[in-house]
Amino acid sequence: MRTIEWKTGIVKTIDQTKLPRQTVFLELKNCNEVAEAIKNMRMRGAPLLGAAAAYGLALTAYHSTARDKEKLMEELTISAETLKKTRPTAVNLFWAIDRVMNKAEKTNENTESIVKTIIEEAQKIADEDVEMNLRMGEHGSTLIDDGDTVLTHCNAGALATVDYGTALGVIRAARKNGKRIEVIATETRPLLQGARLTAYELFRDGFPITLITDSMAGYIMSKGLINKVVVGADRIVKDAVVNKIGTFTLAVLAHEHKIPFYVAAPTSTFDINRLAKDVIVEERSMEEVVKFAGIQVAPQGVTASNPAFDLTPMKYVTAIICEAGVFSPTELHKSSRFRD
Amino acid sequence: MRTIEWKTGIVKTIDQTKLPRQTVFLELKNCNEVAEAIKNMRMRGAPLLGAAAAYGLALTAYHSTARDKEKLMEELTISAETLKKTRPTAVNLFWAIDRVMNKAEKTNENTESIVKTIIEEAQKIADEDVEMNLRMGEHGSTLIDDGDTVLTHCNAGALATVDYGTALGVIRAARKNGKRIEVIATETRPLLQGARLTAYELFRDGFPITLITDSMAGYIMSKGLINKVVVGADRIVKDAVVNKIGTFTLAVLAHEHKIPFYVAAPTSTFDINRLAKDVIVEERSMEEVVKFAGIQVAPQGVTASNPAFDLTPMKYVTAIICEAGVFSPTELHKSSRFRD
C-alpha cells in the first residue's frame, strides 16, 4: 500500500511512531487529525507532508457544508493555517497547501465542483510524488555503481513519501537496474528514523543493510567502507540543503573522505529564491533527547538541545537528484522550468 | 568517594551501567568479578581500567594461599591473563597489569611481603591517577578561556578515572581557576555515557550543561556555539588518538570549523611506539545498537555494526594534555621521560 491514501472522506496512513514494533493504521477524519499526526510525527518526511497537507484540505472540502465559494474558502483558509503551523522547516507542506488553495481559488464553479477539484488536486499531488520518485530513482541510479555501499541518513524512503522514496528510491532503482548495492543506515537520533523506518523498509525488501549509530559514520568512512552518501531533503535553498539533524556532519565527513554526497529530493522541496539564513530550524522538545525509547536516560532536570534539522552548505554537496535530472548545486536554477 | 576503593580484600566500585537511575555499589571479591565488571562496562574509562586491573591482581594476591613465590606468580599470571582478555583497546589496563607483575617479579622476599607489595602498588597506581588528573587539569586549564563553551564526548570524568577526571578534570580545574565554563555533552551512543555519566557528574557538580545527540555536534559548531573540544583517550599511539567511537567525527568537525581539539590523558595511556594500524578496535555486541534497555528499536533480525572506538589521526589534534604538560602531537616523545 501507499504510505497515505484517500478513502472517500477518510485519509488512511500508518502511525510511523509505532514502527517497527507495531503496524497501526490511522483513519484521519478531518484536517485537525491530519495536523496532529504531522505535529507528532506519525507522518513525517517532506514529500509525505506535502501530500498529507493536500489531503488535509481535501478532508475539509469533502466534509464542508458550505453553500458558496466564499464560505468554503474561509473554511479552507482556517485549515491551511492549522496545517502551516504544524512544522516550520520542510517546504513541501507549504508548497502543497498553496497549490491546492490556488487551484480552489481559480475554480469559478459551484461548491460541489470546487470540492471535487480540491480532492482531485490532492490526489494529483500524491500521484505525482510517486511518479517523481520513480523518475528521480532512474536519474540517481546512474550515479551508483555495481557493488557500491551507500550510506543513508534518517528515512528518505517509501515512508517519507507517498511511495518508493527519494534517497531510497535511488537505491531501489539502482538495484532494479541490476546493480548490487549494500546499504549502511545511521540510526538517526533522537527519533531513530534510520533504525525504525529505513532498516524496516530495506530489511523487508531484502536489501543487505547494516545499522550504525550516528557516531560511527566517520570511522566507517575512514575504513573505506562507504562509496556514496545519498540523503533526502526537507528544503533546498540557494546556498544549502536543509535536512534531518546529522546530515551536515555526514556531508563534512564525506567531503573529508572524498566520498560523493548526493541529495535526492523532488523539485517541490526546492526553495531556491531563499537562503540558509531565511530558514527556521524547528526546535523540538528536549524530552526526545533526554529519553531514549521512552526511558529517561539522562539525569532528571538536565537541559538538552533538540534542533530537528541542520543546514549543509552547497560546497559539501556533489549533486542534487530530482525528477528533472541530476544537477550540480550551482545549476539548480535550471531545474526551475520543471516546476509548475 | 573515589570511583574505585580498596577495602581490605574487597574492591568497592559503582555499577556504571545503572547510572543515573540507580546508584548500585559493587563489592568485588576476586579477580574474576573484576574482569566481569570490566567486560560488561560496570567499570569503564581507560584510567579506571588501569586501577581496576591492578586491584584485580591485588585481590588475587590478598586471597592467595600460596606458600612460595612460584605458586603465587602462577596464580597472578592466570589472573593477569583473565584481565587482559576483557577489553582489547585501552592500553592502561595492560600497562597497569605489567607494572604490578614486574613489581611482584622483582620482589625477592616471602609471599607475605610480595602480597603486601602488590597491594601497595595497586594503591599507588590509584593514588597516582588522582594526582595525575589534578596536574593534567592545571595544565589543561591554561588552554581554556573565561566564558568558553566546551564540547566533550563520552565520559572522561571522575567516573572514567579513580577521581576528578581527564577531560572533565580540565573543565573542573578551569572553573576552580575562576573561569566561567559551559559544557555541551554528546550523549554518546550506543551506551550513552555522555547522557548517563557526564551529564550526571557535571549536573551534580553544578556546571551549566546541555546534552545533545551525537548527530547535533556539527550543527552546533556551525552556529559558533563551541569554543573548544576536550576529550579523553583510551590509547595514544604515535599517529593517532584512540577513543570512544564518535571522537574522530568530532575531530573532523572541529578541524573544519577551526575549533581547537584537545585530548586529555595521562601518560599511562601513551603507547607511542605503536601505530594506528597496530590497534585492535573492540567490536562489541550488535545488541547494544539494535536494542536499548531491553527494548528492540530496530526490526528483529537487522544487522548492526558496533565498533567501540575510533582512531583520530594526529592532524586533527591541536594538543595533548597529560600530567607532564601540554604537548603538540609531534612532540609527544618528549613526554616519555615522565613515564616510569
Side-chain angles (χ1 to χ4, degrees), chain A residues 52-74:
Chain A
Y55 279 135
L57 293 174
L59 285 177
T60 298
Y62 183 87
H63 295 291
S64 172
T65 54
R67 299 279 178 94
D68 57 53
K69 183 178 174 181
E70 197 184 346
K71 181 74 179 78
L72 177 62
M73 289 309 295
E74 224 176 86

Side-chain angles (χ1 to χ4, degrees), chain A residues 182-203:
Chain A
E182 294 200 18
V183 182
I184 293 183
T186 49
E187 65 175 6
T188 317
R189 274 282 284 157
L191 294 180
L192 300 166
Q193 292 93 336
R196 296 190 303 104
L197 308 178
T198 294
Y200 167 81
E201 275 192 30
L202 295 182
F203 186 64

Side-chain angles (χ1 to χ4, degrees), chain B residues 217-228:
Chain B
Y219 179 63
I220 304 281
M221 285 187 196
S222 76
K223 301 279 278 182
L225 299 176
I226 307 282
N227 305 102
K228 310 277 158 64

Side-chain angles (χ1 to χ4, degrees), chain A residues 229-247:
Chain A
V229 180
V230 186
V231 298
D234 290 87
R235 185 188 295 217
I236 297 176
V237 291
K238 191 177 166 62
D239 54 349
V241 171
V242 187
N243 193 41
K244 178 54 57 196
I245 189 79
T247 302

Side-chain angles (χ1 to χ4, degrees), chain B residues 262-310:
Chain B
Y262 298 118
V263 176
T267 52
S268 53
T269 312
F270 290 17
D271 191 17
I272 56 176
N273 295 321
R274 285 208 179 77
L275 294 168
K277 67 176 177 53
D278 304 323
V279 176
I280 298 166
V281 171
E282 178 185 5
E283 180 78 25
R284 295 182 60 85
S285 161
M286 65 170 81
E287 293 286 288
E288 293 177 355
V289 174
V290 299
K291 278 188 179 175
F292 180 80
I295 296 170
Q296 180 88 18
V297 287
Q300 290 286 355
V302 160
T303 300
S305 185
N306 190 13
F309 303 94
D310 61 26

